[in-house]
Amino acid sequence: MPNIKIFSGSSHQDLSQKIADRLGLELGKVVTKKFSNQETCVEIGESVRGEDVYIVQSGCGEINDNLMELLIMINACKIASASRVTAVIPCFPYARQDKKDKSRAPISAKLVANMLSVAGADHIITMDLHASQIQGFFDIPVDNLYAEPAVLKWIKENIAEWKNCTIVSPDAGGAKRVTSIADRLNVDFALIHKERKKANEVDRMVLVGDVKDRVAILVDDMADTCGTICHAADKLVSAGATKVYAILTHGIFSGPAISRINNACFEAVVVTNTIPQEDKMKHCPKIQVIDISMILAEAIRRTHNGESVSYLFSHVPL
């Protein structure tokens, strides 16, 4: 493809390489380093004048450093006369801080949106935003892709009893996500109502739906400390589920997450590679990874060619 450059930030170079390989491109030359005072320095190693530039940087690892690195890379390309700069952010940082839910609470996702726009981003490509209203925080185009096609494919290929399963949302907020998957598989769905005492700590869970003598598949957009999905798995087993799987788009797995998964009753915890999982997989054999580089690469190709991205990912055949 002519007049296109893809650069990788330091957060997830493996995913960036897979995207470039699928597009038949070489990753652009870029050097990122830190000065002794921990300031981030970025040097773009080739001309981007008049080019359609895509910068791949996921919101994971050292999130604040990686976000600052992304902003600097966007700005460096913009002031070097790139024709368009697209930030490809598989896992959007600060996505859970999307609303003012108590007095004096910040809406940090809006702040990040403003920073990306001010840095010079012309377009955002991301995946499974925690809250879809984040798209409205931007005054530039945002393509929120969905991992659903890859999830459906994994279920059909890896769960023999998928026709006798129930798709379960671990909270009411994910009801739309699980009903969409359940409709496309033509199976039942259920949800779990949870009450929190405080952030990252669930007080009580109530199952709404039937999972007795069925395979239960928990589906969520992200898992951090994994307290919710592990409690949900216990609830499903006590309600009569024969097997429990968890399928998550963003596997953050911080704090006690890995030990909780190892001690939980999951057959498998399946995540996409929006976040690097190699180290986590070494300590947890239950974790399996779905590669979504094909979806991101196709979105980049269609964006570059001026084709519809939203149409493509709402009409993926099973």
Side-chain angles (χ1 to χ4, degrees), residues 237-301:
V237 169
S238 65
T242 57
K243 294 179 181 177
V244 181
Y245 293 85
I247 302 181
L248 316 156
T249 304
H250 310 299
I252 300 170
F253 300 147
S254 64
I258 296 301
S259 63
R260 284 174 173 173
I261 293 173
N262 283 328
N263 294 326
C265 52
F266 293 112
E267 297 293 316
V269 175
V270 183
V271 295
T272 72
N273 59 340
T274 58
I275 294 173
Q277 299 295 341
E278 289 77 12
D279 290 341
K280 307 289 173 54
M281 292 173 71
K282 292 176 184 175
H283 299 96
C284 183
K286 293 181 181 180
I287 295 176
Q288 299 182 29
V289 175
I290 300 173
D291 181 19
I292 45 81
S293 61
M294 177 184 67
I295 297 176
L296 293 169
E298 184 64 11
I300 290 171
R301 186 190 68 78

Side-chain angles (χ1 to χ4, degrees), residues 6-17 27-32 54-57 69 73:
I6 296 181
F7 294 97
S8 174
S10 57
S11 67
H12 199 346
Q13 293 184 340
D14 179 62
L15 177 61
S16 303
Q17 187 63 60
L27 283 175
K29 296 174 184 175
V30 60
V31 177
T32 58
Y54 295 83
I55 301 171
V56 183
Q57 181 83 309
E69 182 181 287
M73 290 178 73

Side-chain angles (χ1 to χ4, degrees), residues 219-240:
V219 177
D220 206 356
D221 65 316
M222 67 169 59
D224 189 355
T225 57
C226 291
T228 296
I229 64 164
C230 289
H231 278 121
D234 293 339
K235 186 72 179 178
L236 293 170
V237 169
S238 65

